[in-house]
Amino acid sequence: MDTQRITAQIRLSNWGNIVKERMESGQGVNQFCEERGITRSAYYYWQKRVRESAYLKTLEAKSKNELVPGGWMELKENDKPVASGGALAIEVGIFNIKVDMDTDALLLSKVLRALVAL
């Protein structure tokens, strides 16, 4: 790998963390950027790049017929977590999903892929 490629990956990773931090903070983009000295145009540029990267990773996983994108962990049948009340709450960014034992695994996979690609 060349230095430019590594630098680009590090920048993308850093901005991915910034975008995630903004989403988790619940703040609007204007307020978040102002408090951190980030221009809105830079934020939106990198948000787009982060989303495109996530989308490409999802496409790669789909082309390899993987159930989940690389870097995620797939739970095996005997590794299912036991949730209190028979339900599991999943948070992806600002989205909350409740899953129970009757939830279709393929549907859940598709929904999570779509959310990650946002």
Side-chain angles (χ1 to χ4, degrees):
M1 277 189 153
D2 60 65
T3 344
Q4 289 179 335
R5 193 174 199 180
I6 293 171
T7 303
Q9 288 177 344
I10 290 171
R11 279 191 189 124
L12 187 63
S13 176
N14 288 339
W15 275 97
N17 290 333
I18 291 170
V19 170
K20 181 179 177 185
E21 179 185 343
R22 203 277 312 160
M23 291 176 69
E24 290 174 349
S25 75
Q27 292 179 313
V29 174
N30 291 339
Q31 181 184 2
F32 180 84
C33 290
E34 187 177 309
E35 288 179 4
R36 286 158 185 80
I38 301 170
T39 65
R40 288 180 56 230
S41 59
Y43 176 85
Y44 283 119
Y45 170 82
W46 283 102
Q47 180 184 32
K48 180 181 178 186
R49 299 269 316 263
V50 167
R51 287 179 176 175
E52 287 171 348
S53 175
Y55 177 71
L56 290 175
K57 286 181 183 177
T58 303
L59 285 180
E60 289 173 14
K62 187 176 180 181
S63 70
K64 294 177 185 176
N65 291 326
E66 295 176 2
L67 183 59
V68 293
W72 290 19
M73 184 175 98
E74 182 177 357
L75 296 177
K76 303 294 180 205
E77 188 70 31
N78 59 353
D79 293 337
K80 284 187 178 176
V82 178
S84 61
L88 175 67
I90 299 173
E91 293 183 24
V92 178
I94 60 171
F95 301 100
N96 296 310
I97 302 169
K98 286 191 179 181
V99 179
D100 62 22
M101 298 304 275
D102 297 324
T103 303
D104 180 73
L106 185 57
L107 174 62
L108 177 60
S109 172
K110 289 178 180 179
V111 168
L112 292 174
R113 281 187 191 145
L115 291 176
V116 169
L118 293 177

